[in-house]
Amino acid sequence: MPRLLDTPSRIPVPGGKLIDEYVGRVATGTEAVSVARMTAPPGWSEPAQRPDFDEVTLVLTGEVVVEHDGGPTSVRAGQGLLTYAGERVRYLVGDEGATYVAICVPAFGPDLVGREEA
């Protein structure tokens, strides 16, 4: 039977970004995949990370810049980006902030992010 996902679970993170998880380890106990809406304030950035999951980033508003070993990639509203487990990446946004959807396989978990010390 389908399950309505009307209220996401808020996952606390430093730096002012909001993570609202609809499916995943926190919201539904799902380990295979997570789907979350991210709201990043203007100028937000986070330390580089080497996650143990593939991630699809689908930008709804604004622009997300993903720094990686090949250089930065700008992802604008209406575009998406696929990064792979084990790749070193760093996410940041510009002066207008951004809203985007992150889909992680397997599901996001703080112990799987591999975030570098700031």
Side-chain angles (χ1 to χ4, degrees), residues 5-87:
L5 306 170
D6 60 346
T7 306
S9 295
R10 175 76 42 96
I11 299 175
V13 293
K17 180 174 82 169
L18 303 177
I19 299 178
D20 291 324
E21 184 180 83
Y22 286 84
V23 174
R25 296 173 194 271
V26 174
T28 60
T30 304
E31 294 184 8
V33 63
S34 61
V35 178
R37 181 183 61 226
M38 314 291 213
T39 306
W44 170 85
S45 68
E46 65 182 0
Q49 57 191 1
R50 194 177 297 272
D52 292 332
F53 47 78
D54 293 349
E55 182 169 350
V56 176
T57 301
L58 176 60
V59 179
L60 304 175
T61 65
E63 177 183 22
V64 176
V65 176
V66 181
E67 297 177 344
H68 50 86
D69 290 341
T73 299
S74 295
V75 188
R76 293 178 177 84
Q79 296 180 317
L81 183 73
L82 172 61
T83 59
Y84 298 96
E87 288 185 318

